[in-house]
Every structure is written in structure tokens, then in C-alpha cells.
């Protein structure tokens, strides 16, 4: 796709004669006198003239050189990944005894069970005799658990108070990539390899010096992003145009559809939850969340949309009737453009008109959302009908148009966040990794929240009162430790949790059974 977008854009800029294409200049038909119409090949410049126009533009040559360097980097990365994928394929076939053609018929639990059984037979991990389900999740989700914990503790500067707009959340793929580069796998990151934190990160005496170095790295990375901003911005604009232009023409209402935001995926994610498990859970909550957000309507906007739809539809109907009566109407200049734009306007207006059979019950809808996403702020229950609650929900469940706009603005805003907002958090980030990193034999350094230990990270407000020794700083917010423990225990019935966590689960089960009997 990258190669196609770069090649096709260069062709459109340098190899098309738009005067001929738009009929601004008559075409010389001396070579073909029997042909009166202009065809697409007539508007394409010869190869020599095309190459000359490319060489004459220093800006295009610069962008092409940058694109070629990035493409070669991606090519090397893909080739290295293919080698890793081949090793994984061989491991599945030979060690786990799962043929490639049968893999689609196996669930993740079956693959995991074979992996645990293989460890007992062959001792792949030499530091411990048996692997548990939690050990496997720790290896796969080592860095993701840290990201989920930092979002849970509001450590990352992704919330901003803007004039006119109020509170906004900004977390894009570009910003996430830079954060992971800084913290996990970049040249100056806090991790020295894929499984071990740098030794100086674990020493309290080195925290200020390490924070200064991390802040300096953040600024330098921000400056590098600022220098690359034009190239990245051009790519984002081109990719968005080629990706969404046809979809918007075919389904204009698709921009009004919603999706779980990147911040929402981190906020709602449990500790030790794989990508496919998170996706399945959020997919189940998609329809209830959509119904809840659609239950908020503006009477003024509805009236306006009905009138705009009526006027645009009336004009469109007349043009369609005239076109059916005489197809020569299509030869009138800009008539097809008018029909297309009117169709888009009608579809867009209809998307703002609510279903007249909808029953307004936001509290029930929000409870249905909670049944699947599992997390919501304490002040949401009882306030589901308030605009503030809907606004906070929109930060987790955003319009697709907002997602596209954020990604387009990301090359401009990400450098500013890296330079001005993130360095102030450098010391807090260093302290977080020192205080919440534990070394597990056979696994390496992991986030301590991922151990699902209610004694060290439980929240007294979430059914673990008397079972936790965690201070306010050590507690996971919104009961994430307890909810993550419940989900993991339900998904892996054979897993043996730590004693405090097992006691919490047994008391919770007794309470649920008691409440069910009462009901």
C-alpha cells in the first residue's frame, strides 16, 4: 500500500496533463483524425516528459528519497519478521503437533494447554519446572500491561483542558508508537532488552539522573518528530484520502459511526488480556454503547436535518427525473457533481434524524454497556442522562470522523506533547517503573499489577477490604486488579491464584451465591 500510494501520487502530480483532461486545451487530432473524443491515454504525458518534470522538482525528489528510505526500512523489518514467523510455524508443527492446515480449528486455550504440557516434558524454560497460564500471559503482554497500568494511574499526559472544547483526550497511534519507543524498545529506553529493565532503573539513588536523561531523550525525540512532520503529514493526508474517499462517497453516514478509541482500549483493558480477548469483549459492548450514545438527540438539530434532507432530496428527485426523461441532461456541466453532492447531503442529514420508535432509557443502556466493558467512573451510575457523562463516554467511544481527524493532527501535536508535556512526567515515570516492576523466575521483569495480587494492589472499595495492604499510590484505580483477577480466573479455571487472591475469589463467589439466592 505504501509503495502504491507513493507511486500513484507521483504519477498524478507529474505525469498527467490536466489541461487535456479538463478540456481546457483542445487536443491535436492530426495523428488520429478519425477520433474526436479525448481518452485517458491522451491525458498521460510521455515517460521522458514525466521523468523531466520529476527531476525539475526538488521537493518531490526529497519526498521520494524519504519514502524510499522508509520503504527499505520496512522491507528489512518485514523480512526479519518473516524469519520469526517461520520459526513460530515450525514450533507449532513440530513441538506442539499442530499442523498448519488445522491451526484455524484450535482455540487459544487448546494451544496454551499444549504449551504447558510441552514444558513438563521437555523443560523449555530451564528456570522453572512448570509454566502457568499467567506466566505465558506475562511473556506476551509484558509491555502492554505496563501501558494499561500507566493509563490506569493517569501517568501519561493524554488529558488536556482546552478553551472552548473543554476536557479532551488525545492518544493516537503516532503518540503511542513514540511512547513505546521511549520506554520499551528504543535505543535509550528503560528496558535493556525484551525481558529486563536496566539495572539503574531499579536503584532509588539514580532516579533523578535517570529522569533527566529520559526527559532529554523525550525532547530530542520530539524535535525529530517535528523535523519529520511534513513527510508524515503528507503521508497521513494521502493515506486517509485513498482509504476513506470511496467509503464516504458510498456511505456518507460511516463518518457518524463510532469506534472504541485507542485511549478507551487502554482504559477498558484488563491486566493480562490478549488482543483477541479484548476485541471480543468490546465487540459485545458495541451495540449497547451505540444505542446509549444515540439516545442523546438535539431537537433543534433534528428539525434542521429534516429540512435540509427535504430540500436536498427535492432537488435531487427533480434532477433524477430529468435525467431519466432525457439522458442529454448528463452532458450539462457539473450536473453529475450536483447529483453526487445532493445524495451525500441527503444521506448525511438522515444520519442526524433519530428513530421515532426509540425509547429513552439511558440508565438501563449504560448498565448494558457496563456488563461488557466492566469499567466506568464512580459518578456515572445515576447520572447516565447528563451531558457530562455522555461527553466522557465519547472519549472512550468516539466518532470515526474524530478518529480520522486525530490521526491527521497527530504529526503536528505529537512533537508538542513530547517536547512540552511529557518531560514534566519523567521523574514520575521512572518512579513508576522502579516501584511497580517485579522479577519473576523464568519470565523476567514484569509490571507488578499484572500479578493480580489483591494484597499489594487491591482497592478496599472493591470487595477486598481487610484483604489488601496497598496504599493509595499502590492501588489500581476503578477496581482494575479485582476485575482483572475475576476475568482471568473465569477464563482459566485450572489456574491456581496466590493465596490472598484465592481467598478474595472464594468470598466473592459466596457473596454472589448469597445475592442470587436472595434474588
Amino acid at each position: 500500500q505504501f509503495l502504491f500510494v507513493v507511486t500513484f501520487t507521483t504519477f498524478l502530480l507529474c505525469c498527467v496533463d490536466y489541461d487535456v483532461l479538463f478540456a481546457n486545451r483542445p487536443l491535436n487530432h492530426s495523428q488520429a483524425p478519425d477520433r474526436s473524443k479525448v481518452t485517458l491515454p491522451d491525458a498521460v504525458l510521455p515517460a521522458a516528459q514525466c521523468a523531466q518534470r520529476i527531476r525539475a522538482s526538488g521537493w518531490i525528489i526529497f519526498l521520494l528519497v524519504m519514502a524510499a528510505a522508509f520503504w527499505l526500512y520496512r522491507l528489512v523489518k518485514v523480512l526479519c519478521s518473516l524469519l520469526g514467523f517461520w520459526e513460530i510455524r515450525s514450533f507449532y508443527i513440530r513441538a506442539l503437533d499442530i499442523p498448519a492446515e488445522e491451526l484455524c480449528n484450535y482455540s487459544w486455550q487448546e494451544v496454551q494447554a499444549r504449551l504447558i504440557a510441552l514444558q513438563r516434558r521437555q523443560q523449555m524454560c530451564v528456570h522453572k519446572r512448570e509454566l502457568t497460564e499467567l506466566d505465558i500471559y506475562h511473556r506476551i503482554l509484558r509491555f502492554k500491561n505496563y501501558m494499561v497500568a500507566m493509563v490506569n494511574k493517569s501517568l501519561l499526559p493524554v488529558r488536556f483542558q482546552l478553551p472552548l472544547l473543554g476536557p479532551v483526550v488525545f492518544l493516537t497511534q503516532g503518540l503511542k508508537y513514540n511512547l513505546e519507543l521511549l520506554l520499551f524498545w528504543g535505543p535509550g529506553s528503560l528496558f535493556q532488552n525484551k525481558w529486563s529493565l536496566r539495572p539503574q532503573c531499579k536503584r532509588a539513588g539514580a532516579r533523578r539522573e535517570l529522569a533527566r536523561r529520559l526527559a532529554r531523550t523525550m525532547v530530542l525525540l520530539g524535535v525529530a518528530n517535528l523535523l519529520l512532520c511534513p513527510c508524515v503529514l503528507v503521508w497521513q493526508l494521502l493515506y486517509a484520502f485513498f482509504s476513506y474517499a470511496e467509503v464516504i462517497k458510498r456511505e456518507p453516514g460511516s463518518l457518524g459511526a463510532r469506534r472504541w478509541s485507542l485511549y478507551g482500549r487502554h482504559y477498558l483493558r484488563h491486566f493480562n488480556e490478549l488482543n483477541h480477548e479484548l476485541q471480543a469483549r468490546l465487540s459485545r459492548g458495541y451495540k449497547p454503547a451505540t444505542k446509549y450514545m444515540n439516545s442523546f438527540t438535539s431537537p433543534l438539530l433534528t428539525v434542521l436535518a429534516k429540512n435540509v434532507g427535504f430540500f436536498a432530496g427535492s432537488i435531487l428527485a427533480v434532477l433524477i427525473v430529468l435525467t431519466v426523461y432525457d439522458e442529454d441532461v448528463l452532458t450539462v456541466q457539473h450536473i453529475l457533481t450536483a447529483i453526487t453532492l445532493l445524495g451525500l447531503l441527503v444521506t448525511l442529514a438522515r444520519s442526524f434524524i433519530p428513530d421515532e420508535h426509540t425509547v429513552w432509557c439511558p440508565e438501563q443502556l449504560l448498565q448494558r454497556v457496563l456488563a461488557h466493558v466492566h469499567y466506568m467512573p464512580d459518578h456515572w451510575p445515576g447520572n447516565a442522562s447528563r451531558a457530562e457523562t455522555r461527553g466522557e463516554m465519547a472519549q472512550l467511544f468516539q466518532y470515526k470522523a474524530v478518529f480520522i481527524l486525530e490521526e491527521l493532527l497527530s504529526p503536528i501535536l505529537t512533537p508538542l506533547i513530547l517536547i512540552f508535556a511529557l518531560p514534566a512526567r519523567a521523574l514520575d515515570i521512572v518512579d513508576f517503573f522502579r516501584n511497580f516492576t517485579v522479577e519473576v523466575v523464568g519470565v523476567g521483569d514484569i509490571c507488578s499489577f499484572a500479578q493480580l495480587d489483591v494484597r499489594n494492589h487491591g482497592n478496599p472499595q472493591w470487595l477486598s477490604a481487610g484483604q489488601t495492604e496497598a496504599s493509595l499510590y499502590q492501588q489500581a484505580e476503578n477496581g482494575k486488579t479485582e476485575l482483572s483477577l475475576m476475568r482471568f480466573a473465569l477464563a482459566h479455571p485450572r489456574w491456581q491464584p496466590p493465596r490472598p487472591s484465592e481467598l478474595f475469589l472464594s468470598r466473592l463467589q459466596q457473596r454472589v451465591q448469597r445475592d442470587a439466592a436472595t434474588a
Side-chain angles (χ1 to χ4, degrees):
Q1 287 185 3
F2 180 80
L3 199 61
F4 171 80
V5 169
V6 171
T7 305
F8 188 50
T9 304
T10 307
F11 170 79
L12 292 176
L13 289 174
C14 301
C15 301
V16 177
D17 191 339
Y18 289 98
D19 288 333
V20 173
L21 187 65
F22 296 145
N24 295 330
R25 187 180 73 239
L27 184 66
N28 184 8
H29 292 292
S30 58
Q31 296 179 350
D34 57 329
R35 188 162 54 86
S36 59
K37 290 187 176 182
V38 177
T39 61
L40 282 177
D42 294 331
V44 178
L45 298 174
Q49 188 176 353
C50 180
Q52 183 181 0
R53 293 179 69 173
I54 293 175
R55 287 194 297 267
S57 175
W59 180 243
I60 290 180
I61 291 178
F62 170 74
L63 289 177
L64 288 176
V65 169
M66 294 294 294
F70 177 75
W71 185 79
L72 288 174
Y73 161 75
R74 292 291 300 172
L75 181 63
V76 172
K77 195 172 180 180
V78 166
L79 292 177
C80 293
S81 298
L82 286 176
L83 295 176
F85 295 154
W86 184 261
E87 291 181 358
I88 292 172
R89 181 180 184 275
S90 301
F91 179 80
Y92 267 70
I93 294 174
R94 297 176 185 174
L96 299 183
D97 195 24
I98 301 177
E101 60 274 8
E102 294 291 331
L103 181 59
C104 59
N105 299 324
Y106 282 80
S107 68
W108 162 246
Q109 283 72 20
E110 291 174 309
V111 174
Q112 190 173 235
R114 292 196 175 213
L115 186 59
I116 293 173
L118 181 63
Q119 166 68 14
R120 295 194 189 103
R121 295 195 309 268
Q122 297 192 10
Q123 201 80 15
M124 294 179 298
C125 179
V126 297
H127 299 289
K128 57 193 311 182
R129 179 170 178 77
E130 290 195 6
L131 283 177
T132 67
E133 292 87 349
L134 196 59
D135 291 334
I136 296 172
Y137 274 69
H138 283 165
R139 282 172 173 256
I140 299 173
L141 299 170
R142 189 190 314 273
F143 297 153
K144 282 188 171 62
N145 280 328
Y146 276 108
M147 288 294 291
V148 171
M150 285 190 287
V151 170
N152 178 256
K153 299 294 289 183
S154 301
L155 191 62
L156 301 177
V158 295
R159 287 184 171 275
F160 304 94
Q161 187 74 26
L162 300 181
L164 301 180
L165 296 178
V168 297
V169 172
F170 185 82
L171 181 61
T172 61
Q173 292 290 347
L175 179 57
K176 175 174 171 285
Y177 177 86
N178 280 278
L179 290 172
E180 292 176 345
L181 185 68
L182 273 170
L183 302 175
F184 302 126
W185 49 268
S189 65
L190 300 181
F191 271 76
Q192 62 183 359
N193 49 46
K194 292 182 179 180
W195 63 87
S196 178
L197 204 62
R198 294 184 185 277
Q200 57 266 37
C201 295
K202 301 178 181 180
R203 297 198 300 266
R207 58 191 287 267
R208 295 196 176 276
E209 175 60 28
L210 193 62
R212 280 194 293 269
R213 280 169 33 197
L214 182 61
R216 186 168 61 249
T217 305
M218 291 171 179
V219 173
L220 292 175
L221 185 61
V223 172
N225 275 264
L226 204 58
L227 294 175
L228 292 173
C229 175
C231 302
V232 180
L233 185 60
V234 168
W235 162 252
Q236 292 279 58
L237 290 170
L238 290 175
Y239 188 78
F241 173 77
F242 288 127
S243 298
Y244 300 112
E246 190 275 333
V247 176
I248 294 173
K249 177 183 178 299
R250 178 167 39 88
E251 299 178 25
S254 62
L255 289 179
R258 291 186 177 270
R259 67 189 303 277
W260 296 104
S261 67
L262 186 59
Y263 170 79
R265 289 178 174 272
H266 284 80
Y267 178 84
L268 299 173
R269 188 170 194 156
H270 293 299
F271 295 123
N272 301 313
E273 186 172 28
L274 295 173
N275 289 343
H276 74 274
E277 295 171 334
L278 173 68
Q279 183 60 41
R281 186 164 59 85
L282 295 185
S283 296
R284 290 192 293 269
Y286 182 86
K287 286 187 178 180
T290 301
K291 288 181 179 180
Y292 171 74
M293 297 301 290
N294 290 344
S295 67
F296 291 83
T297 58
S298 168
L300 181 61
L301 188 61
T302 301
V303 172
L304 185 64
K306 286 181 178 179
N307 283 278
V308 169
F310 175 77
F311 298 144
S314 301
I315 300 172
L316 179 62
V318 171
L319 292 179
I320 291 175
V321 169
L322 291 175
T323 303
V324 172
Y325 177 74
D326 189 349
E327 63 181 12
D328 289 336
V329 175
L330 292 174
T331 62
V332 177
Q333 193 173 21
H334 301 312
I335 194 69
L336 284 176
T337 304
I339 291 175
T340 303
L341 291 178
L342 287 170
L344 290 173
L345 194 58
V346 169
T347 308
L348 193 62
R350 285 177 180 171
S351 66
F352 288 99
I353 301 174
D355 184 1
E356 60 183 8
H357 302 293
T358 300
V359 179
W360 198 66
C361 48
E363 289 290 348
Q364 295 179 19
L365 290 173
L366 193 59
Q367 287 300 319
R368 289 179 59 193
V369 176
L370 178 62
H372 298 291
V373 303
H374 300 167
Y375 295 99
M376 67 166 59
D378 294 336
H379 59 274
W380 279 17
N383 295 309
S385 58
R386 296 178 63 88
E388 293 81 0
T389 304
R390 181 186 186 275
E392 292 177 2
M393 181 65 180
Q395 295 173 354
L396 308 177
F397 196 55
Q398 62 184 178
Y399 281 119
K400 194 169 186 178
V402 175
F403 161 74
I404 296 172
L405 181 62
E406 286 183 352
E407 291 297 329
L408 291 178
L409 293 176
S410 180
I412 301 172
L413 298 180
T414 295
L416 301 180
I417 294 174
L418 291 173
I419 294 173
F420 299 108
L422 196 57
R425 305 286 183 95
L427 185 59
D428 293 333
I429 292 174
V430 170
D431 288 340
F432 174 86
F433 275 87
R434 188 184 76 256
N435 295 326
F436 297 116
T437 294
V438 293
E439 184 177 357
V440 177
V441 176
V443 178
D445 290 335
I446 63 167
C447 181
S448 60
F449 287 101
Q451 289 188 300
L452 308 179
D453 188 354
V454 294
R455 181 179 295 278
N456 293 323
H457 297 299
N459 192 321
Q461 296 179 349
W462 288 77
L463 306 179
S464 58
Q467 303 175 43
T468 179
E469 301 171 355
S471 64
L472 191 63
Y473 175 67
Q474 294 171 319
Q475 294 171 8
E477 305 300 326
N478 300 316
K480 190 173 280 287
T481 301
E482 289 82 359
L483 288 168
S484 299
L485 172 62
M486 285 186 269
R487 189 213 68 85
F488 196 84
L490 288 171
H492 305 90
R494 297 181 181 178
W495 173 63
Q496 185 67 34
R499 179 61 185 168
S501 299
E502 187 177 14
L503 181 63
F504 164 76
L505 289 173
S506 63
R507 289 183 179 178
L508 176 67
Q509 187 176 13
Q510 292 172 6
R511 176 170 176 172
V512 170
Q513 291 173 347
R514 190 165 59 248
D515 291 347
T518 304

